Amino acid sequence: MENIIKNDKPTIKAWAMFDWANSAYNLVITSTIFPAYYTIITLTEEYGDEVSFFGFSFVNTALANYSLAFSYLIMVILLPMFSAIADYKGNKKAMMKIFTYIGGFACMGLYFFKLETLEWGIICSSLAAMGYIGGVLFNNSYLPEIASIDQQDSVSAKGFAYGYIGSVILQLICFLFVLKPEWFGIEDPSFPARLSFLLVGVWWILFSQISFRKLPNKPQNKNRLNHHVIKKGFLELKKVWINIKSLPSLKGFLFAFFFYAMGVQTIMLVAAAFGEKVLHLGTSKLIVTILLIQIVAIAGAYLMSWLASRIGNIKVLMIVVILWIFICVSAFFIRNEMQFYILAMLVGLVMGGTQSISRSTFSKLIPIDTEDNASFFSFYDVTEKIAIVIGLFSFGFIEELTHNIRLSALFLVLFFLIGLILLFRIPRSAALA
């Protein structure tokens, strides 16, 4: 392996730039323009919020949640194999590139998404999600390699802060096309959104090159792959699980993370669709709201990192999970725009902190002498992705059952409560002090 100097500022900056690159997908595609555009174009006078997908009928937002859940499920199956291949071939960076290009080009493909091409739009959005998931796994696995334990909270926060800043910049550019299409001579009302999807793909691929140039590589293994190597991915997960069972703090954290991640990730993925469906805010107001969330989230990531250094990671996570419970209950009762905006600001405050502290907590609890960081982070990602599958499916299923998206939001409280109870039961360790 290349000689890696921990806490090297240029390397850390390059690592954080990957968050800058791919967070544009997270903001524009999963959080703002795409869900608002999707919800608006799939709501028709003739069929209401019902859509036909390859001949099957779904509630529009439920279909979006099911397709995302399917994407995450596929990645749960594939990630162990890919992480094993990366460990065997020494090509973790190459894997990052593959997923980045899949995600970036899928976003570009969304330029052609209209109601009459619904199936194409769902397929491209699913591929974009897969590209994002895969890239994040391999980028996350660099954290314990480039930062010492005492620096991992701040480095993790730096990555999320870069992601929020980069995504906000691109969102502002897209915002101009959405709000002021006449400035650019745009007459097709669907064009600003579709152009935004195209720009996300370009942005994602372009800025990720900074990370690809600087992040270290293992020596390449030129041996051919065989079924034993593929099988090794699942054996690695089993091996990691055996190791985790002997580490009470890590085991306790993962169980807690599994449950509260069901709620956190689902809220982040459905927030814009919720705002449009419940309050009919419109694309421009949703974009402004999510932009404010991103800005607040930057402060939230650093605030929670600072707080973790004072009272410990687990106590900070307990605080944010309690706040998430309050958010879910409040979402059931909101009736006007101002209430939605206030709730959105609270989401921003805890969103960045929850993601950042969760990632750094896991990184701190990994055995220091392990050489299988990719496998450990594969396990972390598989845990999170299974949680997302369950969260999204539950959210969509309850909406289809009740035709009340507020009840779907309220149901998420159950996941947070279980996560909170499990956080209380985690044995304290020096790494979490």
Side-chain angles (χ1 to χ4, degrees):
M1 180 186 284
E2 296 177 19
N3 185 29
I4 303 174
I5 303 173
K6 289 196 174 185
N7 306 327
D8 175 60
K9 289 184 177 179
T11 302
I12 288 172
K13 183 177 180 180
W15 177 83
M17 284 302 296
F18 195 76
D19 276 348
W20 172 292
N22 68 12
S23 290
Y25 158 82
N26 226 4
L27 180 56
V28 177
I29 306 297
T30 67
S31 301
T32 57
I33 297 179
F34 180 79
Y37 174 76
Y38 172 85
T39 305
I40 290 169
I41 69 169
T42 54
L43 186 63
T44 61
E45 290 184 6
E46 186 177 0
Y47 299 106
D49 63 356
E50 294 284 333
V51 294
S52 175
F53 181 71
F54 287 113
F56 295 94
S57 181
F58 295 92
V59 173
N60 56 357
T61 45
L63 173 62
N65 290 332
Y66 290 152
S67 68
L68 262 182
F70 176 77
S71 302
Y72 280 94
L73 183 61
I74 293 296
M75 292 307 292
V76 164
I77 297 169
L78 295 181
L79 283 178
M81 293 187 290
F82 288 131
S83 63
I85 293 170
D87 286 339
Y88 177 75
K89 299 286 289 183
N91 62 349
K92 179 161 62 177
K93 190 191 295 187
M95 288 291 187
M96 283 177 65
K97 290 181 179 180
I98 290 171
F99 282 110
T100 295
Y101 297 139
I102 289 173
F105 285 116
C107 287
M108 293 181 194
L110 286 172
Y111 174 80
F112 302 101
F113 173 39
K114 292 187 176 182
L115 180 59
E116 55 268 27
T117 57
L118 176 67
E119 289 83 0
W120 170 259
I122 292 294
I123 290 170
C124 284
S125 64
S126 296
L127 287 173
M130 292 179 192
Y132 175 78
I133 294 163
V136 166
L137 161 67
F138 292 107
N139 192 52
N140 282 349
S141 68
Y142 273 108
L143 181 56
E145 296 178 13
I146 65 173
S148 56
I149 287 180
D150 62 308
Q151 294 296 312
Q152 286 173 13
D153 281 337
S154 61
V155 171
S156 181
K158 186 185 186 76
F160 279 106
Y162 269 51
Y164 294 136
I165 294 169
S167 59
V168 165
I169 291 172
L170 181 60
Q171 180 73 92
L172 288 171
I173 295 170
C174 297
F175 200 27
L176 285 177
F177 293 107
V178 171
L179 283 187
K180 297 294 181 181
E182 66 274 9
W183 288 4
F184 308 95
I186 298 172
E187 296 181 356
D188 180 354
S190 73
F191 182 77
R194 295 187 293 111
L195 176 62
S196 298
F197 308 150
L198 179 66
L199 291 176
V200 168
V202 173
W203 179 282
W204 190 352
I205 291 173
L206 180 65
F207 282 103
S208 64
Q209 304 307 312
I210 298 172
S211 304
F212 296 152
R213 282 200 301 267
K214 183 65 179 176
L215 289 175
N217 246 335
K218 289 183 178 180
Q220 292 285 304
N221 178 351
K222 302 300 182 182
N223 294 335
R224 295 188 65 180
L225 289 171
N226 54 53
H227 70 281
H228 296 296
V229 175
I230 305 301
K231 183 180 177 182
K232 181 175 178 286
F234 297 98
L235 294 178
E236 280 292 318
L237 283 187
K238 182 179 179 181
K239 175 182 160 186
V240 167
W241 173 239
I242 292 171
N243 287 337
I244 288 171
K245 287 197 292 185
S246 67
L247 301 165
S249 294
L250 183 54
K251 179 182 175 183
F253 167 72
L254 271 175
F255 274 114
F257 172 73
F258 175 70
F259 282 98
Y260 72 70
M262 290 184 197
V264 173
Q265 298 296 331
T266 301
I267 290 172
M268 290 168 58
L269 291 169
V270 304
F274 181 91
E276 175 59 33
K277 201 159 195 179
V278 171
L279 299 174
H280 308 292
L281 295 178
T283 304
S284 59
K285 289 181 180 178
L286 281 173
I287 292 174
V288 170
T289 303
I290 302 296
L291 276 175
L292 290 174
I293 287 177
Q294 300 299 306
I295 293 169
V296 174
I298 297 170
Y302 281 110
L303 173 63
M304 298 306 171
S305 175
W306 173 83
L307 198 56
S309 69
R310 297 297 186 274
I311 66 174
N313 291 45
I314 298 302
K315 288 180 181 177
V316 170
L317 287 171
M318 288 178 184
I319 292 170
V320 298
V321 168
I322 290 170
L323 290 173
W324 280 115
I325 292 172
F326 174 78
I327 288 166
C328 290
V329 174
S330 300
F332 181 78
F333 293 102
I334 61 170
R335 290 294 182 271
N336 58 57
E337 288 184 24
M338 185 53 64
Q339 292 172 348
F340 181 77
Y341 297 146
I342 293 171
L343 204 58
M345 295 306 99
L346 184 56
V347 168
L349 182 65
V350 297
M351 180 178 71
T354 306
Q355 292 178 294
S356 175
I357 295 301
S358 296
R359 178 167 67 179
S360 62
T361 298
F362 183 78
S363 183
K364 285 181 175 184
L365 291 171
I366 293 175
I368 298 174
D369 56 350
T370 185
E371 294 183 359
D372 297 325
N373 286 317
S375 294
F376 268 95
F377 269 95
S378 175
F379 196 96
Y380 176 82
D381 268 54
V382 165
T383 301
E384 183 182 49
K385 279 23 173 197
I386 293 176
I388 293 172
V389 170
I390 296 172
L392 283 172
F393 182 82
S394 300
F395 197 93
F397 179 74
I398 290 171
E399 187 189 1
E400 285 229 279
L401 201 63
T402 65
H403 283 265
N404 188 338
I405 199 170
R406 293 176 186 271
L407 288 174
S408 295
L410 188 62
F411 181 79
L412 297 178
V413 170
L414 176 63
F415 299 141
F416 285 116
L417 282 173
I418 296 173
L420 181 62
I421 292 168
L422 293 174
L423 283 172
F424 272 107
R425 299 182 61 185
I426 293 176
R428 301 300 186 266
S429 68
L432 303 181

